[in-house]
């Protein structure tokens, strides 16, 4: 054992690798940030077998053979479960551990030494009076071990683990943990709960008003049981850990009932879980509640009353598009029209409206659903999202045959919706005839009404604000009421509470129809909209800053400077 020498010095002192080769390897190491042993094998200075024989001599640790690893595969899953560790974590740390007959635990490491942090985790998790022995294993054998483990039947590997986890998931502490997380998420007005595994612990984070906040960090030994509890409530397969899963459950929290959409995604450190909270008793919104100015609300209501055509709402994921369209359906649902929606998934249940959820796994896509519902005699159709050319074509045909179609599109601007549909393959003359209105939107955080304070702004910021409001009528532009965030108990010290949308709306008039027919670019359309005094997202946000609803930084971060 020569631990007083580094491995590099050991190789040089024993003339195992020429000094010149080591110098070249050091230079490459600085450029490529690759461990020296791996570089020496790649350069052909040593074979992997010889390299690890020398590493074993240097470290004093025995070198484990492939035959030993073959026996380890049987005991590995049970041992990992008993220790409260994850197979993913062991693989990431270069570890293979299993229970020996003499009650010792052997850890095979693909590195010369392991970090002190990993050793401490293993020491804390090891059963009483357990001796920890470390050995070396060649990387090729290490990778072959985990590859063979992956090929084995998942249920056969994890049977004992699953039974143990189910028992833990039904115990009081885990039930209380999951219930407490749900309760705190509702109290903080969170839209999503994220359960994320780490190397030594797992984090529980909340998305509040679009921003992630850490709720707590928990010991890793509770992670598997917590995920198992969530899976049981969501009716998911607790034995399946290698494929994504989606489920849902109903939760009653603080006398409120929530639909909870659950998504489980396998990752390098273990399964990551996201739970989206949706109130069942959603009250109908008014356009003003969403943040629409009077002129925008009047225009949008006119679109809702149209007999046919397409109305598009654009924006990134999480910008409130679905809420806006649900509000449109609430307004247009006067009992005189047949309304059908096609969604993925159905987020809220709407009274007297037929809602259909697509299922791509069985071929029931947006396009397939649309072909069927058009024979169902609808007056108004809501398509959750236009994702492909086939769905877009059916939407256009529906609009041309007397239906009013609402849908969403993922674009960065309202004008981009036109060019996006043309790029999808929709004929310009059909699009110009069917498209009636386009809206873009983003969500900005509202200042907390309990703690925000009046403020003065710099001369440059004041100039930007004046530029943003000077074109608009007195009905929209009142006396400036600029405010700044402070932070209090009501807003969890963030200074913000709730969100409101900023909008850009334009109607497809004769000039725009001509531009669509002649293949105008997005820049040409934007130029025409500004000349026509169509308010941009940025200007709509500045109006809300002027009214003391939000801040300049919030608007510029989402709508650009």
């Amino acid at each position: 054992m020569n631990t007083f020498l580094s491995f590099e010095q050991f190789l040089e002192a024993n003339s195992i690798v020429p000094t010149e080769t080591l110098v070249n390897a050091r230079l490459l190491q600085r450029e490529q940030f690759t461990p020296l042993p791996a570089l020496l094998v790649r350069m052909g200075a040593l074979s992997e077998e010889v390299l690890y024989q020398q590493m074993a001599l240097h470290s004093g640790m025995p070198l484990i053979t492939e035959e030993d690893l073959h026996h380890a595969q049987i005991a590995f899953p049970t041992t990992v479960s008993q220790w409260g560790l994850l197979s993913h974590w062991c693989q990431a740390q270069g570890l293979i551990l299993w229970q020996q007959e003499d009650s010792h635990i052997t850890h095979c490491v693909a590195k010369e030494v392991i970090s002190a942090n990993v050793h401490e985790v293993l020491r804390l998790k090891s059963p009483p009076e357990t001796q920890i022995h470390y050995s070396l294993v060649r990387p090729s054998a290490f990778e072959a071990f985990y590859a063979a483990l992956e090929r084995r039947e998942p249920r056969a590997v994890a049977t004992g683990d699953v039974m143990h986890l189910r028992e833990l998931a039904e115990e009081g502490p885990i039930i209380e943990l999951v219930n407490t997380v749900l309760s705190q998420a509702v109290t903080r007005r969170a839209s999503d709960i994220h359960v994320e595994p780490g190397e030594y612990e797992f984090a529980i984070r909340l998305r509040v008003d679009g921003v992630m906040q850490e709720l707590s960090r928990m010991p890793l030994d509770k992670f598997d049981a917590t995920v198992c509890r969530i899976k049981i409530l969501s009716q998911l397969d607790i034995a399946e850990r290698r494929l994504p899963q989606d489920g849902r459950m109903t939760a009653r929290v603080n006398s409120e009932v929530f639909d909870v959409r659950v998504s489980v995604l396998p990752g390098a450190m273990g399964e990551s879980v996201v739970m989206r909270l949706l109130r069942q008793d959603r009250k109908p919104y008014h356009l003003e509640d969403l943040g629409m100015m009077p002129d925008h609300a009047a225009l949008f209501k006119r679109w809702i009353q149209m007999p046919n055509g397409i109305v598009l709402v654009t924006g990134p994921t999480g910008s409130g598009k679905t809420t806006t369209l649900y509000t449109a359906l609430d307004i247009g649902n006067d009992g005189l029209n047949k309304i059908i929606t096609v969604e993925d998934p159905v987020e809220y249940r709407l009274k007297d409206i037929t809602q259909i959820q697509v299922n791509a796994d069985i071929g029931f896509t947006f396009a397939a659903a649309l072909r069927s519902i058009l024979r169902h005699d609808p007056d108004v159709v809501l398509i959750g999202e236009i994702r492909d050319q086939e769905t877009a074509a059916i939407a256009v045909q529906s609009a041309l045959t007397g239906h009013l179609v609402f849908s969403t599109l993922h674009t960065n601007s309202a004008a981009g919706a036109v060019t996006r549909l043309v790029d999808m393959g929709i004929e310009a003359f059909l699009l110009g005839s069917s498209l009636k209105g386009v809206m873009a939107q983003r969500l900005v955080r509202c200042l907390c009404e309990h703690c925000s304070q009046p403020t003065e702004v710099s001369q440059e910021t004041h100039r930007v604000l004046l530029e943003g409001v000077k074109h608009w009528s007195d009905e929209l532009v009142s006396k400036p009421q600029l405010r700044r965030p402070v932070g209090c108990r009501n807003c969890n010290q963030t200074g913000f509470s709730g969100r409101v949308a900023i909008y850009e709306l334009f109607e497809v008039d004769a000039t725009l129809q001509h531009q669509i027919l002649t293949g105008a670019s997005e820049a040409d359309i934007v130029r025409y909209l500004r000349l026509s005094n169509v308010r941009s997202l940025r200007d709509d946000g500045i109006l809300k800053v002027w009214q003391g609803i939000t801040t300049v930084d919030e608007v510029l971060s989402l709508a650009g400077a």
Side-chain angles (χ1 to χ4, degrees), residues 371-396:
R371 283 193 294 270
S372 298
I373 68 172
L374 291 179
R375 295 190 291 271
H376 220 68
D377 190 30
D379 298 296
V380 179
V381 176
L382 180 132
I383 306 171
E385 182 185 346
I386 294 179
R387 298 177 178 174
D388 51 44
Q389 193 274 339
E390 187 178 10
T391 305
I394 296 174
V396 168

Side-chain angles (χ1 to χ4, degrees), residues 237-248:
D237 184 357
I238 64 174
E240 180 55 73
R241 301 182 189 177
R242 292 193 264 173
L243 294 174
Q245 296 188 72
D246 294 302
R248 64 193 310 153

Side-chain angles (χ1 to χ4, degrees), residues 188-194 204-215 276 318 443-446 491-492 494-499 554 557-558:
R188 295 195 184 190
R189 303 175 294 101
S191 60
D192 301 88
I193 303 169
H194 293 247
I204 299 174
R205 302 200 293 164
L206 308 178
R207 187 178 293 279
V208 181
D209 296 334
V211 179
M212 296 293 285
Q213 299 178 2
E214 186 170 296
L215 178 64
R276 171 154 291 187
L443 293 177
V444 296
R445 291 184 295 172
C446 298
C491 61
N492 199 30
T494 63
F496 297 92
S497 179
R499 288 190 291 177
E554 274 291 300
S557 68
L558 289 168

Side-chain angles (χ1 to χ4, degrees), residues 84-122:
L85 294 172
L86 293 170
S87 173
H88 299 290
W89 183 82
C90 292
Q91 187 174 6
Q93 301 306 320
L95 294 174
I96 301 171
L97 60 99
W98 73 91
Q99 185 78 44
Q100 298 273 316
E101 291 181 2
D102 58 1
S103 298
H104 294 311
I105 300 295
T106 298
H107 304 268
C108 299
V109 292
K111 298 172 279 189
E112 184 178 2
V113 293
I114 65 167
S115 69
N117 288 337
V118 173
H119 173 74
E120 186 64 17
V121 170
L122 296 174

